[in-house]
Amino acid sequence: MAMMSSMDGGSNIGKVAAVVDAENPATTIVVGPPCAVVDSDSDDDLSQRGNWLRAAVLGANDGLVSTASLMLGVGAVKADARAMVISGFAGLLAGACSMAIGEFVSVCSQRDVELARLDRDGKRGGGEEKALPSPVQAAAASALAFSVGALLPLLAAWFIADYRLRIGVVAAVATATLAAFGCVGAVLGRAPVARSCARVVVGGWVAMAVTFGLMRFFKASGI
């Protein structure tokens, strides 16, 4: 009887322990060190900064390639330095405005979707809403990045009177800057630097060569 009583007691203790464990699972499970949440937030912050830097590099790359190609295309038809500079400046203004408007509309659409989701989840007005990107800031950053890239070939051709030298300098400055953009993009994206630089430089060369070649063809054919 004593053995049965002790067995029953042990069984009851086991049942009570099981109930306690089931009701309080957090008391028996060790999730991890307290600093795990801080590290995750830090990683998310670094990831967001990397995305912003990568977007800025891409915007500057667009400004550089489009403006240099436009200036070379005009230079293929007309050797006047003033015409090249004016066309480059017009391309800078038009491109910066286009990038800003496009980014503003895109971020506004994304923000509307996120706000609708927060409304459905009942989280409107909290920290998640404050963390959403600002359309105005995104538009300004996009326009600024494009303008910085577009200014480089524009300044390179500003004070050069000789036609061939001006064309060569614009192409050389564009090539060197494209290589730098490719390196920065590779570092931010943790990609092979040589391959990234080659891809960006070759892409810029193709855009400039196609624009210059087609405009030369139009000039030769009298179109």
Side-chain angles (χ1 to χ4, degrees):
M1 293 292 292
M3 292 179 60
M4 292 181 63
S5 176
S6 63
M7 290 178 61
D8 292 339
S11 176
N12 291 334
I13 293 174
K15 290 180 180 178
V16 172
V19 172
V20 172
D21 290 343
E23 293 177 352
N24 303 283
T27 60
T28 59
I29 299 175
V30 179
V31 177
C35 63
V37 176
V38 177
D39 291 342
S40 178
D41 293 341
S42 178
D43 290 342
D44 291 341
D45 186 56
L46 289 175
S47 177
Q48 291 179 359
R49 291 181 182 180
N51 290 333
W52 275 99
L53 289 173
R54 195 177 299 113
V57 171
L58 291 176
N61 184 82
D62 289 342
L64 173 66
V65 173
S66 61
T67 304
S69 299
L70 177 62
M71 293 176 65
L72 291 176
V74 172
V77 178
K78 195 171 184 179
D80 184 18
R82 186 170 181 271
M84 284 185 65
V85 172
I86 290 177
S87 65
F89 187 68
L92 184 155
L93 294 177
C97 291
S98 177
M99 293 286 288
I101 294 172
E103 192 70 15
F104 182 85
V105 172
S106 176
V107 174
C108 280
S109 300
Q110 177 187 356
R111 187 180 178 88
D112 290 341
V113 172
E114 293 297 327
L115 289 177
R117 180 183 64 81
L118 293 178
D119 283 334
R120 291 194 302 268
D121 297 341
K123 298 180 180 179
R124 187 70 180 265
E128 291 189 25
E129 182 178 353
K130 295 180 181 179
L132 293 177
S134 169
V136 176
Q137 290 181 354
S142 181
L144 179 61
F146 185 94
S147 300
V148 170
L151 272 175
L152 297 175
L154 191 60
L155 293 176
W158 194 283
F159 301 105
I160 300 178
D162 184 74
Y163 169 72
R164 293 186 177 181
L165 180 60
R166 185 169 61 251
I167 294 292
V169 168
V170 170
V173 169
T175 300
T177 311
L178 285 172
F181 287 163
C183 291
V184 174
V187 172
L188 293 176
R190 297 179 181 179
V193 175
R195 184 186 305 172
S196 177
C197 290
R199 182 167 53 239
V200 173
V201 171
V202 171
W205 281 351
V206 170
M208 291 184 289
V210 168
T211 306
F212 185 85
L214 287 177
M215 294 306 294
R216 273 290 192 187
F217 172 76
F218 289 155
K219 178 182 180 181
S221 60
I223 297 177

